[in-house]
Amino acid sequence: MGIESLCSADASEPFWDWNLTWHTEDPDFTPCFQNTVLVWIPCIYLWLCFPVYFLYLQRHDRGYIQVSNLNKAKTALGLILWIVCWADLFYSFWERSQNIFRAPFFLISPTVLGVTMLLATFLIQYERIKGVQSSGVMTIFWFMSLLCATLIFISKIKNALNMNPCPEFSASFLSRVTFWWITGLMIQGYRNPLEAKDLWSLNKEDKSEEIVPGLARNWAKEWSKTKRQPLNMLYAPKKQQKSGDSNGDMTEEVEALIIKPSQKSSEASLFKVLYKTFGPYFLMSFLFKAAHDLLMFAGPEILKLLLNFVNNKAAPDWQGYFYTVLLFVCACLQTLILHQYFHICFVTGMRLKTAIVGVIYRKALVITNSARKTSTVGEIVNLMSVDAQRFMDLATYINMIWSAPLQVILALYLLWRNLGPSVLAGVAVMVLLVPINAVMAMKTKTYQVAQMKSKDNRIKLMNEILNGIKVLKLYAWELAFREKVLEIRQKELKVLKKSAYLAAMATFTWVCAPFLVALSTFAVYVMIDKNNILDAQKAFVSLALFNILRFPLNMLPMVISNMVEASVSLKRLRVFLSHEELDPDSIIRGPIKEAEGCIVVKNATFSWAKTDPPLLSSINFTVPEGSLVAVVGQVGCGKSSLLSALLGEMDKKEGYVVVKGSVAYVPQQAWVQNATLEDNIIFGREMSESRYKRVIEACALLPDIEILPSGDKTEIGEKGVNLSGGQKQRVSLARAVYCNADVYLLDDPLSAVDAHVGKHIFEKVIGPKGILKNKTRVLVTHAVNYLPQMDTILVMTDGEISEMGSYQELLEQDGAFAEFLRTYANAEQAMENSDTNSPSAKEGKPIENGGLVNEAPGKLMHRQLSNSSTYSRDTGKPQHQSSTAELQKPVAEKNSWKLMEADTAKTGRVKASVYWDYMKAIGLLMSFLAIFLFMCNHIASLTSNYWLSLWTDDPVINGTQQNTTLRLGVYGALGISQGIAVFGYSMVVSIGGIFASRHLHLNLLHNVLRSPMSFFERTPSGNLVNRFSKEIDTIDSTIPPIIKMFMGSTFNVIGACIIILLATPIAAVIIPPLGLVYFFVQRFYVATSRQLKRLESVSRSPVYSHFNETLLGVSVIRAFEEQKRFIRQNDMKVDENQKAYYPSIVANRWLAVRLEYVGNCIVLFAALFAVIARNKLSAGLVGLSVSYSLQITAYLNWLVRMSSDLETNIVAVERVKEYAEMEKEAEWSIEQTAPGSSWPEEGKVEFRGYSLRYREDLDLVLKNINVTISGGEKIGIVGRTGAGKSSLTLGLFRINEAAEGEIIIDGINIAKIGLHDLRFKITIIPQDPILFSGSLRMNLDPFDQHSDEDIWRSLELAHLKNFVSSLPDKLNHECAEGGENLSVGQRQLVCLARALLRKSKILVLDEATAAVDLETDKLIQSTIKSQFEECTVLTIAHRLNTIMDYTRVLVLERGEVVECGTPDQLLQEKGIFYTMAKDSGLV
């Protein structure tokens, strides 16, 4: 820790990294090493030499040397170097004052170096005084300095070359204001689609490592403040509890009462923390916004002067030109300022998101298991995706809170000057509309929360469906789960529909508000006084002001609803960040000192959560260093919990626990990362070739590596899909062995491997002669035959240690353990003795799987994506000769094979067909109706404004205008018709959107469920979840409003052009060229922006996948203390994502600045032509055309934004449709060939010439199998790991279709019937017991076909009745996600109960009893015998004793049946079965 703490503020940067410096093509040192050791070496040298050299010089004076120029230069140089060092130091201090905490060496190294430079300068002078011409000491010092500095310099250059720095910092002021510096990227993106390598590196201050620690620190401060208060109160009553236990219960009460009130008053405020972290930079935006708001009102004022000028025929021409130019300059300034403001906001938003994602990730690594239960994986991922996004969006709007009221007040003041008190009528209308909008915003919020809830549930369910898809397919449960998803979706759509009605209302009030305000104001103005004349100046300046008003009034409700959304998110985040954290001090982790033992537990009591009753009580034991301890006991007695307790994963109620030294942990269900096999084993440690080879060999992984397509460089899929259960378990074990810890906690690592491999692993790794023989090992196990070799055995019952001692002692005690042994160990005991003496044990006999691949290298066997693998057999060559050459496969092949298909980014334009698909999903009638209503709305709007200009040009007679009432009436009527059209189109679009999203989601769900297994094994679940959350969310709630706005702005722009052309036809010369410029800029931008958006969404998937993976393996990560590395990985992935996001922000600004200039030109020309033709034009028309041209900038901007938004968001439709074209598995049910309801009657299964392969390009896994199994036979299927046992069952269920040959069940060829018809009639108890979250009942019977009595009966037969009836909710007991609140053994029993319920004629057991202790195993076997007497049973067995009484045994080897017959026959034949039986001690 010592030197590491110098390296970074939170000790996350390593001081030395072998992988960076030694095991690499391109060596380099860590930044920490460069800034400490390399800087200090010359300094230390000089200071060591100094005393001796100084004394030497004092004694040897050779006369004084004059000051020469060289000497002056040397001294000056020394002083300059000294000043540089001090500048460095002061800069570090300044950073600290700015709350940027760098690593401590940034302070230490410059100080050391500075003082040394002073010393060097002093020595230069001192040598001159003492007459030394040239000094060895100093020459060596400067040479060392030069050498070390060169190393650092080279490293800096390398880093600079690796980075592709953002040109922003080197850009000039003008370039930054107009965003010219991004043009290079835009051109590149236009020429050919951008790729990830073209993107710039993030600026230093936008990187995770800069941003996240700041927020984390501030949050920790805030949190500790609030934690302090309640805690003080909490401890007070505890003391009296010690004195007298009688009032214990009362104290508990008191405690609860005291905590409650204080918590309300003081919750950690996340908002305060965010403000503290991001406030300062954000304040800049405040100034820009204020300047922009003031400039906005210059437009109407200049318009007023311009209209005066047009009316006043005597005014000189230059004034008109002057006003025109002034108008133009104002508009341009406004543009520049506005976009600087936006830039700051967006960058802040981006940093906010980075910080929040980082903080959530860090928190997820430390929360307790009870807290994990309250937020499912889905919810936490949503916090990262949805809620972090909300903050990002809010950052851009938050300033509207003060800016909108400011704009309203200014506008009203100017209107008052223009029209006098009649403005109040308009204000009254606005004030009336505000509460309406507020009510709508509140309503929207409640709907939002409801929708989020449904969405969370839906994603959670989808997540489980995708994780357990194999089980769904085997049980043919897809339809039941599809219904469950659609039920949740139905709720979601109901809420969406309500939101849609609200949105239509809201759009109606928005669009009509400005018009109603204008109407009421003008009506009052002309009605109160006959002499009030509505002339052009009054009408159009007021209209321009009303248009300005429209924006803040529209924005306010939006900002408020955004803030409300963000506050919901803020609360969710705060709750998550305030979860309890694991107490790192509950387990004392010390270095190894010879004390009482390596693991000491005294009187410890543990539970999973503070509130739960204790699960492990009064545990006492000591494990001496280097001993091997077994933990045995029934299913669910707390064996795994004991290991979790030692890891500090449980809540320690009382007692004292010490674990000395580092810990390695192998969980019961292996956790494998989506990385190469090698990375999985090395797990962030430095690579040591020899150790790695030893580990692989000991864990019996050599044969597996030979089979994988690229050796140990093969990428392992998500959750290890392309490894079998046993391989995963061995990789998990190898990871632990490789890391060379002091204490090993092994949770039943031998359950998933067959007897043979189990024995090998025990001998080579765990046992008294294994690699770990000098380590302390705690092994949870069900395997009785290894117990005699243990130093100590702990026997657990119901969360307590009932007996403890060595094997002999326990036998002598004659307690429960002895009883347990007597039943099981007789056969195995005998075997142990015979085997150790037999000669065969001493020969180099083929170990693990008999797997020595020793064939021609051309015949490389590929195995992929199966729960089994293929081995070849050749006993001639001893194990240790399989050299590294075999580990490293031919290189050409290495890169050819990639398993996971990354989320791909499409390139090029979105095809028109996608829009057409969306329109079809809405319904063509509705689509065209919407377009028609849009037209009506805009025609009404244009006509009403034209009517206004005619009205203002009415001649004034005797100080009044004639027919005012007619003018006012028509104006009002036009306005109302406009309103009706708006409401109409808004409703049509919203409801259409819901139709579309229902249709698309249904298709997506159906298509995904219909996909074959191979599809799920290739596609990371992150991609699929992304489709179901992000893309469907976009289709639900983003696309309809964007369509509305897009249509609106399109028609607005067209309208404005028409009006300008009406007023000044000469503008026809100028509008087309400007239109062309506009079009080019827009195309240019869309090409780049679309690609950036795609890159961003593709780089988002890995963030979620990695996060998901981390959550699943969090206990392993904590046990190995690898949190820092995972945090670094997460930061890198987030930065990769933001790398694509940052240019897209800037591209938006780039575009907006260019477009607004086009708009500003239109204003310039409209005004200019009006000035030129002022004698021919009426003031009304000039007012009309200039006021429209003033709006056009905003519309143009909106239009491009919306068109690109539409294009980027419609990609969601494209991605959802993508899965519709994927290959599907066969039909679920086929009417014509459906077998009778009683099929199969006898359960006769025939394999005729059956062969199977996993993919077209791979070898056969099963070759030409011919077997007939008559009804009611019990068949055991055995073979080494990967002989194709599981593949056989997959073929039976048609998870993979036959390559050739057929399977016939009771005379029906199974390939001819529907999949569900087949799968409903066969039952499997799968290898990994998977449960879904929901009631226990739902897990047993999702279709609700059985009565409660049936279910209870099946539970009783599965030996679960006692357990279930002890649960408070009985059958309605909620299973957690993945069934985590049941032990693995109990889950296996639930799967047995499922099979008993279905009671089909054919039953397949796939290593179904691997995770169960022997006693339960025996019960299961007897149940199967009695209950499935008439049925055909196929069992894939690892424990051969389970199948010794079966009618026949099939022995598979490399996908072929090599032996077949009764167990006794096969034992006589002395073939493969015999050797296997011998290994498991049955002979």
mmCIF file with all atom_site columns, all heavy atoms in Angstrom, residues 411-423:
data_model
loop_
_atom_site.group_PDB
_atom_site.id
_atom_site.type_symbol
_atom_site.label_atom_id
_atom_site.label_alt_id
_atom_site.label_comp_id
_atom_site.label_asym_id
_atom_site.label_entity_id
_atom_site.label_seq_id
_atom_site.pdbx_PDB_ins_code
_atom_site.Cartn_x
_atom_site.Cartn_y
_atom_site.Cartn_z
_atom_site.occupancy
_atom_site.B_iso_or_equiv
_atom_site.pdbx_formal_charge
_atom_site.auth_seq_id
_atom_site.auth_comp_id
_atom_site.auth_asym_id
_atom_site.auth_atom_id
_atom_site.pdbx_PDB_model_num
ATOM 1   N N   . ALA A 1 411 ? -40.773 40.895 -22.349 1.00 0.00 ? 411 ALA A N   1
ATOM 2   C CA  . ALA A 1 411 ? -41.722 40.959 -23.467 1.00 0.00 ? 411 ALA A CA  1
ATOM 3   C C   . ALA A 1 411 ? -42.962 41.745 -23.058 1.00 0.00 ? 411 ALA A C   1
ATOM 4   O O   . ALA A 1 411 ? -43.457 42.599 -23.816 1.00 0.00 ? 411 ALA A O   1
ATOM 5   C CB  . ALA A 1 411 ? -42.101 39.553 -23.899 1.00 0.00 ? 411 ALA A CB  1
ATOM 6   N N   . LEU A 1 412 ? -43.446 41.500 -21.859 1.00 0.00 ? 412 LEU A N   1
ATOM 7   C CA  . LEU A 1 412 ? -44.661 42.192 -21.411 1.00 0.00 ? 412 LEU A CA  1
ATOM 8   C C   . LEU A 1 412 ? -44.417 43.699 -21.288 1.00 0.00 ? 412 LEU A C   1
ATOM 9   O O   . LEU A 1 412 ? -45.260 44.515 -21.656 1.00 0.00 ? 412 LEU A O   1
ATOM 10  C CB  . LEU A 1 412 ? -45.140 41.620 -20.074 1.00 0.00 ? 412 LEU A CB  1
ATOM 11  C CG  . LEU A 1 412 ? -45.699 40.204 -20.183 1.00 0.00 ? 412 LEU A CG  1
ATOM 12  C CD1 . LEU A 1 412 ? -46.158 39.698 -18.830 1.00 0.00 ? 412 LEU A CD1 1
ATOM 13  C CD2 . LEU A 1 412 ? -46.864 40.154 -21.167 1.00 0.00 ? 412 LEU A CD2 1
ATOM 14  N N   . TYR A 1 413 ? -43.232 44.030 -20.811 1.00 0.00 ? 413 TYR A N   1
ATOM 15  C CA  . TYR A 1 413 ? -42.917 45.462 -20.673 1.00 0.00 ? 413 TYR A CA  1
ATOM 16  C C   . TYR A 1 413 ? -42.950 46.140 -22.044 1.00 0.00 ? 413 TYR A C   1
ATOM 17  O O   . TYR A 1 413 ? -43.555 47.205 -22.226 1.00 0.00 ? 413 TYR A O   1
ATOM 18  C CB  . TYR A 1 413 ? -41.545 45.613 -20.008 1.00 0.00 ? 413 TYR A CB  1
ATOM 19  C CG  . TYR A 1 413 ? -40.981 47.005 -20.131 1.00 0.00 ? 413 TYR A CG  1
ATOM 20  C CD1 . TYR A 1 413 ? -41.535 48.068 -19.399 1.00 0.00 ? 413 TYR A CD1 1
ATOM 21  C CD2 . TYR A 1 413 ? -39.912 47.274 -20.980 1.00 0.00 ? 413 TYR A CD2 1
ATOM 22  C CE1 . TYR A 1 413 ? -41.031 49.353 -19.534 1.00 0.00 ? 413 TYR A CE1 1
ATOM 23  C CE2 . TYR A 1 413 ? -39.405 48.545 -21.115 1.00 0.00 ? 413 TYR A CE2 1
ATOM 24  C CZ  . TYR A 1 413 ? -39.970 49.595 -20.388 1.00 0.00 ? 413 TYR A CZ  1
ATOM 25  O OH  . TYR A 1 413 ? -39.476 50.869 -20.528 1.00 0.00 ? 413 TYR A OH  1
ATOM 26  N N   . LEU A 1 414 ? -42.332 45.512 -23.048 1.00 0.00 ? 414 LEU A N   1
ATOM 27  C CA  . LEU A 1 414 ? -42.301 46.108 -24.388 1.00 0.00 ? 414 LEU A CA  1
ATOM 28  C C   . LEU A 1 414 ? -43.705 46.148 -24.999 1.00 0.00 ? 414 LEU A C   1
ATOM 29  O O   . LEU A 1 414 ? -44.062 47.101 -25.701 1.00 0.00 ? 414 LEU A O   1
ATOM 30  C CB  . LEU A 1 414 ? -41.351 45.319 -25.293 1.00 0.00 ? 414 LEU A CB  1
ATOM 31  C CG  . LEU A 1 414 ? -39.871 45.429 -24.891 1.00 0.00 ? 414 LEU A CG  1
ATOM 32  C CD1 . LEU A 1 414 ? -39.014 44.493 -25.726 1.00 0.00 ? 414 LEU A CD1 1
ATOM 33  C CD2 . LEU A 1 414 ? -39.358 46.860 -25.062 1.00 0.00 ? 414 LEU A CD2 1
ATOM 34  N N   . LEU A 1 415 ? -44.496 45.131 -24.737 1.00 0.00 ? 415 LEU A N   1
ATOM 35  C CA  . LEU A 1 415 ? -45.864 45.111 -25.258 1.00 0.00 ? 415 LEU A CA  1
ATOM 36  C C   . LEU A 1 415 ? -46.687 46.246 -24.643 1.00 0.00 ? 415 LEU A C   1
ATOM 37  O O   . LEU A 1 415 ? -47.507 46.887 -25.300 1.00 0.00 ? 415 LEU A O   1
ATOM 38  C CB  . LEU A 1 415 ? -46.535 43.764 -24.959 1.00 0.00 ? 415 LEU A CB  1
ATOM 39  C CG  . LEU A 1 415 ? -46.186 42.636 -25.918 1.00 0.00 ? 415 LEU A CG  1
ATOM 40  C CD1 . LEU A 1 415 ? -46.634 41.305 -25.368 1.00 0.00 ? 415 LEU A CD1 1
ATOM 41  C CD2 . LEU A 1 415 ? -46.838 42.879 -27.273 1.00 0.00 ? 415 LEU A CD2 1
ATOM 42  N N   . TRP A 1 416 ? -46.487 46.439 -23.362 1.00 0.00 ? 416 TRP A N   1
ATOM 43  C CA  . TRP A 1 416 ? -47.216 47.508 -22.653 1.00 0.00 ? 416 TRP A CA  1
ATOM 44  C C   . TRP A 1 416 ? -46.918 48.848 -23.305 1.00 0.00 ? 416 TRP A C   1
ATOM 45  O O   . TRP A 1 416 ? -47.805 49.652 -23.547 1.00 0.00 ? 416 TRP A O   1
ATOM 46  C CB  . TRP A 1 416 ? -46.797 47.516 -21.179 1.00 0.00 ? 416 TRP A CB  1
ATOM 47  C CG  . TRP A 1 416 ? -47.548 48.526 -20.359 1.00 0.00 ? 416 TRP A CG  1
ATOM 48  C CD1 . TRP A 1 416 ? -47.276 49.850 -20.248 1.00 0.00 ? 416 TRP A CD1 1
ATOM 49  C CD2 . TRP A 1 416 ? -48.707 48.280 -19.561 1.00 0.00 ? 416 TRP A CD2 1
ATOM 50  N NE1 . TRP A 1 416 ? -48.181 50.452 -19.429 1.00 0.00 ? 416 TRP A NE1 1
ATOM 51  C CE2 . TRP A 1 416 ? -49.084 49.503 -18.987 1.00 0.00 ? 416 TRP A CE2 1
ATOM 52  C CE3 . TRP A 1 416 ? -49.463 47.134 -19.274 1.00 0.00 ? 416 TRP A CE3 1
ATOM 53  C CZ2 . TRP A 1 416 ? -50.177 49.642 -18.136 1.00 0.00 ? 416 TRP A CZ2 1
ATOM 54  C CZ3 . TRP A 1 416 ? -50.549 47.262 -18.422 1.00 0.00 ? 416 TRP A CZ3 1
ATOM 55  C CH2 . TRP A 1 416 ? -50.902 48.502 -17.867 1.00 0.00 ? 416 TRP A CH2 1
ATOM 56  N N   . ARG A 1 417 ? -45.612 49.058 -23.654 1.00 0.00 ? 417 ARG A N   1
ATOM 57  C CA  . ARG A 1 417 ? -45.250 50.333 -24.308 1.00 0.00 ? 417 ARG A CA  1
ATOM 58  C C   . ARG A 1 417 ? -45.945 50.442 -25.648 1.00 0.00 ? 417 ARG A C   1
ATOM 59  O O   . ARG A 1 417 ? -46.230 51.526 -26.119 1.00 0.00 ? 417 ARG A O   1
ATOM 60  C CB  . ARG A 1 417 ? -43.737 50.396 -24.503 1.00 0.00 ? 417 ARG A CB  1
ATOM 61  C CG  . ARG A 1 417 ? -43.003 50.874 -23.256 1.00 0.00 ? 417 ARG A CG  1
ATOM 62  C CD  . ARG A 1 417 ? -41.526 50.987 -23.485 1.00 0.00 ? 417 ARG A CD  1
ATOM 63  N NE  . ARG A 1 417 ? -41.216 51.536 -24.827 1.00 0.00 ? 417 ARG A NE  1
ATOM 64  C CZ  . ARG A 1 417 ? -40.054 51.314 -25.434 1.00 0.00 ? 417 ARG A CZ  1
ATOM 65  N NH1 . ARG A 1 417 ? -39.146 50.585 -24.850 1.00 0.00 ? 417 ARG A NH1 1
ATOM 66  N NH2 . ARG A 1 417 ? -39.829 51.838 -26.623 1.00 0.00 ? 417 ARG A NH2 1
ATOM 67  N N   . ASN A 1 418 ? -46.187 49.306 -26.267 1.00 0.00 ? 418 ASN A N   1
ATOM 68  C CA  . ASN A 1 418 ? -46.735 49.294 -27.617 1.00 0.00 ? 418 ASN A CA  1
ATOM 69  C C   . ASN A 1 418 ? -48.259 49.435 -27.623 1.00 0.00 ? 418 ASN A C   1
ATOM 70  O O   . ASN A 1 418 ? -48.815 50.232 -28.370 1.00 0.00 ? 418 ASN A O   1
ATOM 71  C CB  . ASN A 1 418 ? -46.328 47.979 -28.277 1.00 0.00 ? 418 ASN A CB  1
ATOM 72  C CG  . ASN A 1 418 ? -46.219 48.118 -29.767 1.00 0.00 ? 418 ASN A CG  1
ATOM 73  O OD1 . ASN A 1 418 ? -46.298 49.228 -30.290 1.00 0.00 ? 418 ASN A OD1 1
ATOM 74  N ND2 . ASN A 1 418 ? -46.056 47.013 -30.443 1.00 0.00 ? 418 ASN A ND2 1
ATOM 75  N N   . LEU A 1 419 ? -48.922 48.655 -26.803 1.00 0.00 ? 419 LEU A N   1
ATOM 76  C CA  . LEU A 1 419 ? -50.384 48.574 -26.881 1.00 0.00 ? 419 LEU A CA  1
ATOM 77  C C   . LEU A 1 419 ? -51.093 49.080 -25.625 1.00 0.00 ? 419 LEU A C   1
ATOM 78  O O   . LEU A 1 419 ? -52.329 49.066 -25.591 1.00 0.00 ? 419 LEU A O   1
ATOM 79  C CB  . LEU A 1 419 ? -50.817 47.118 -27.107 1.00 0.00 ? 419 LEU A CB  1
ATOM 80  C CG  . LEU A 1 419 ? -50.416 46.491 -28.440 1.00 0.00 ? 419 LEU A CG  1
ATOM 81  C CD1 . LEU A 1 419 ? -50.840 45.041 -28.476 1.00 0.00 ? 419 LEU A CD1 1
ATOM 82  C CD2 . LEU A 1 419 ? -51.043 47.225 -29.613 1.00 0.00 ? 419 LEU A CD2 1
ATOM 83  N N   . GLY A 1 420 ? -50.341 49.399 -24.587 1.00 0.00 ? 420 GLY A N   1
ATOM 84  C CA  . GLY A 1 420 ? -50.997 49.905 -23.387 1.00 0.00 ? 420 GLY A CA  1
ATOM 85  C C   . GLY A 1 420 ? -51.695 48.800 -22.609 1.00 0.00 ? 420 GLY A C   1
ATOM 86  O O   . GLY A 1 420 ? -51.389 47.611 -22.769 1.00 0.00 ? 420 GLY A O   1
ATOM 87  N N   . PRO A 1 421 ? -52.663 49.182 -21.770 1.00 0.00 ? 421 PRO A N   1
ATOM 88  C CA  . PRO A 1 421 ? -53.272 48.251 -20.813 1.00 0.00 ? 421 PRO A CA  1
ATOM 89  C C   . PRO A 1 421 ? -53.946 47.048 -21.454 1.00 0.00 ? 421 PRO A C   1
ATOM 90  O O   . PRO A 1 421 ? -54.136 46.032 -20.786 1.00 0.00 ? 421 PRO A O   1
ATOM 91  C CB  . PRO A 1 421 ? -54.306 49.083 -20.058 1.00 0.00 ? 421 PRO A CB  1
ATOM 92  C CG  . PRO A 1 421 ? -54.213 50.476 -20.570 1.00 0.00 ? 421 PRO A CG  1
ATOM 93  C CD  . PRO A 1 421 ? -53.201 50.572 -21.638 1.00 0.00 ? 421 PRO A CD  1
ATOM 94  N N   . SER A 1 422 ? -54.303 47.117 -22.740 1.00 0.00 ? 422 SER A N   1
ATOM 95  C CA  . SER A 1 422 ? -55.026 45.973 -23.301 1.00 0.00 ? 422 SER A CA  1
ATOM 96  C C   . SER A 1 422 ? -54.155 44.711 -23.332 1.00 0.00 ? 422 SER A C   1
ATOM 97  O O   . SER A 1 422 ? -54.663 43.609 -23.544 1.00 0.00 ? 422 SER A O   1
ATOM 98  C CB  . SER A 1 422 ? -55.546 46.285 -24.699 1.00 0.00 ? 422 SER A CB  1
ATOM 99  O OG  . SER A 1 422 ? -54.528 46.871 -25.459 1.00 0.00 ? 422 SER A OG  1
ATOM 100 N N   . VAL A 1 423 ? -52.867 44.879 -23.110 1.00 0.00 ? 423 VAL A N   1
ATOM 101 C CA  . VAL A 1 423 ? -51.978 43.713 -23.007 1.00 0.00 ? 423 VAL A CA  1
ATOM 102 C C   . VAL A 1 423 ? -52.450 42.797 -21.892 1.00 0.00 ? 423 VAL A C   1
ATOM 103 O O   . VAL A 1 423 ? -52.294 41.586 -21.945 1.00 0.00 ? 423 VAL A O   1
ATOM 104 C CB  . VAL A 1 423 ? -50.532 44.179 -22.706 1.00 0.00 ? 423 VAL A CB  1
ATOM 105 C CG1 . VAL A 1 423 ? -49.639 43.006 -22.367 1.00 0.00 ? 423 VAL A CG1 1
ATOM 106 C CG2 . VAL A 1 423 ? -49.991 44.938 -23.888 1.00 0.00 ? 423 VAL A CG2 1
#
